[in-house]
């Protein structure tokens, strides 16, 4: 019997969507106001879910306290109140779209989650725009 355990978190971050190898005009056409050279910010909402078998000894799929601490150290401490393009090494050469941010978060968390368990990252950039990545 598999059960999904989820933890919500949030962080605030700035970013700019653009490609260095494109002209400003092409970036502007593709990314619009998200191409602002002075950046713009979001209040990101994050839902991290771990799915797996219930441990018969503990009754947990994963201890939520462990998941909470993992999200804090791997995501919140790394991204909160940061300019993703400038201050987060993973985005030095990667456009910080919601899709790419979700994949980066998943890659940061995956090594810390038991391989027998599935990991899913759901990232809300706005209350209506969100992406989900499961590996």
């Amino acid at each position: 019997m598999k059960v999904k355990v989820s933890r919500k978190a949030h962080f605030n971050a700035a970013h700019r969507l653009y490609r260095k190898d494109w002209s400003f005009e092409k970036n502007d056409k593709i990314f619009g106001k998200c191409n602002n050279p002075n950046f713009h910010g979001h209040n990101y909402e994050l839902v991290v879910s771990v799915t797996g078998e219930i441990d018969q000894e503990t009754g947990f799929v994963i201890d939520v306290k462990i998941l909470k601490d993992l999200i804090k150290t791997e995501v919140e401490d790394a991204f909160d109140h940061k300019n993703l393009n400038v201050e987060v090494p993973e985005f030095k050469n990667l456009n910080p779209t919601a899709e790419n941010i979700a994949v980066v978060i998943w890659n940061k968390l995956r090594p810390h989650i038991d391989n027998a368990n599935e990991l899913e990252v759901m990232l809300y950039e706005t209350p209506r725009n969100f992406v989900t990545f499961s590996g």
Side-chain angles (χ1 to χ4, degrees), residues 16-119:
R16 175 187 182 196
L17 301 185
Y18 77 109
R19 289 184 55 120
K20 296 172 191 166
D21 58 331
W22 287 358
S23 67
F24 181 83
E25 291 72 26
K26 184 170 182 180
N27 274 296
D28 215 40
K29 182 179 179 199
I30 301 298
F31 300 118
K33 63 184 181 179
C34 296
N35 177 42
N36 181 344
N38 295 314
F39 306 94
H40 69 282
H42 295 282
N43 300 316
Y44 292 94
E45 294 291 330
L46 175 66
V47 180
V48 176
S49 300
V50 177
T51 303
E53 299 288 333
I54 298 172
D55 182 288
Q56 294 307 303
E57 196 174 355
T58 65
F60 296 149
V61 170
I62 185 172
D63 184 335
V64 177
K65 169 88 168 77
I66 290 170
L67 188 56
K68 173 189 169 196
D69 292 345
L70 191 54
I71 293 166
K72 169 133 182 33
T73 58
E74 295 298 322
V75 181
E76 292 171 317
D77 291 352
F79 294 178
D80 192 36
H81 285 81
K82 299 274 173 44
N83 180 320
L84 299 178
N85 300 73
V86 176
E87 299 176 89
V88 178
E90 288 89 348
F91 298 108
K92 182 174 176 19
N93 296 304
L94 181 65
N95 206 3
T97 61
E99 293 89 336
N100 283 333
I101 297 167
V103 171
V104 165
I105 289 170
W106 188 93
N107 285 329
K108 287 169 76 66
L109 296 175
R110 182 73 256 187
H112 305 280
I113 304 294
D114 187 318
N115 282 334
N117 293 333
E118 298 162 33
L119 174 63

Side-chain angles (χ1 to χ4, degrees), residues 115-132:
N115 282 334
N117 293 333
E118 298 162 33
L119 174 63
E120 178 183 273
V121 169
M122 188 179 301
L123 181 69
Y124 287 80
E125 192 169 70
T126 72
R128 286 184 245 185
N129 298 338
F130 63 97
V131 299
T132 304

